[in-house]
Amino acid sequence: MPQPAQYHPEIDCGIHTLLVLQQAVKLSADPEVRFAALTHDLGKGLTPAEILPSHHGHERLSRELTTQLCERFKIPNRFRELAEHVAEQHGRIHKALELQPKTVLNVLEVTDAFRKPERFAQLLLACEADAKGRTGFENRPYPQANYFREALRACQQVDVQTVIQAGFQGVQIKEELHRRRIEVIKQIRKES
């Protein structure tokens, strides 16, 4: 399955997947990270021939195929959940430094990073493996992971009790917490 050479000098999606898996092995001994790296681009196999070598929308398809694969082979939930998030979010993670703060917060929320920061760290490793799993990109830095780690850490410092003490009630608490988290992400972006 061909890919655009400017993003994937190796061109072939199968070769890319193997390079990503090699990078995942270098970055982590975690089998969940390795599984997520292996399955992150499954949706590229369903790309219509007329739009190749582009793969618009492959993230959603990759998530759907990962879910089907995991159900068929009774893959443990912790593997499935991480692989689904990596499949769906890797494109956004790669563009971290271009994203609006509200989109960064959305990624943190939809991946459940606040309740499952360890899984989010795994997601970042799998995304780094994807970025480095390209011919000539193996040793490039991946600042996107640090940016997301800093954003998560800063958002975790936004104290819900402070919001409540400021007089917010009910749904206003959630809205104000969201607003304050966006503000701390904006600050991190300025400092980056």
Side-chain angles (χ1 to χ4, degrees):
M1 186 61 66
Q3 302 176 103
Q6 73 264 31
Y7 304 116
H8 291 280
E10 68 285 348
I11 299 178
D12 184 89
C13 189
I15 292 171
H16 167 62
T17 298
L18 293 177
L19 292 172
V20 173
L21 186 56
Q22 285 178 340
Q23 289 298 319
V25 168
K26 288 179 183 178
L27 292 169
S28 175
D30 186 337
E32 294 168 38
V33 170
R34 294 175 180 185
F35 180 74
L38 183 64
T39 60
H40 81 284
D41 272 345
L42 287 177
K44 286 185 176 181
L46 297 180
T47 300
E50 61 271 10
I51 70 165
L52 289 174
S54 295
H55 295 277
H56 299 294
H58 81 278
E59 293 92 352
R60 181 186 49 77
L61 291 171
S62 295
R63 183 184 178 118
E64 291 171 8
L65 289 173
T66 296
T67 301
Q68 292 171 19
L69 175 77
C70 291
E71 288 173 358
R72 181 173 179 199
F73 290 104
K74 309 289 187 245
I75 303 295
N77 285 341
R78 66 185 194 281
F79 282 79
R80 178 187 52 78
E81 290 170 2
L82 175 62
E84 288 172 340
H85 286 303
V86 171
E88 192 165 52
Q89 298 298 327
H90 69 275
R92 291 168 98 191
I93 299 288
H94 294 330
K95 294 178 181 176
L97 303 175
E98 303 166 28
L99 299 177
Q100 295 292 321
K102 67 180 182 178
T103 306
V104 172
L105 181 56
N106 178 261
V107 170
L108 294 172
E109 291 172 344
V110 300
T111 59
D112 206 10
F114 296 108
R115 290 186 329 117
K116 298 182 178 183
E118 299 83 13
R119 186 180 68 199
F120 191 72
Q122 292 173 305
L123 180 146
L124 294 176
L125 282 172
C127 289
E128 182 174 356
D130 179 35
K132 292 182 174 190
R134 299 177 290 158
T135 304
F137 290 69
E138 301 87 354
N139 297 314
R140 289 194 180 178
Y142 191 66
Q144 296 90 327
N146 283 335
Y147 177 66
F148 263 103
R149 281 186 206 103
E150 288 179 38
L152 176 59
R153 194 171 19 255
C155 287
Q156 289 171 324
Q157 299 302 313
V158 176
D159 182 35
V160 70
Q161 291 304 317
T162 304
V163 173
I164 293 169
Q165 290 170 358
F168 293 93
Q169 298 177 5
V171 72
Q172 293 175 329
I173 296 169
K174 182 179 177 181
E175 291 169 354
E176 181 62 13
L177 190 61
H178 190 84
R179 188 194 68 74
R180 290 183 186 196
R181 286 176 172 168
I182 289 173
E183 289 303 315
V184 298
I185 294 170
K186 284 180 184 176
Q187 188 60 39
I188 288 169
R189 184 70 187 124
K190 287 179 187 175
E191 296 168 2
S192 294

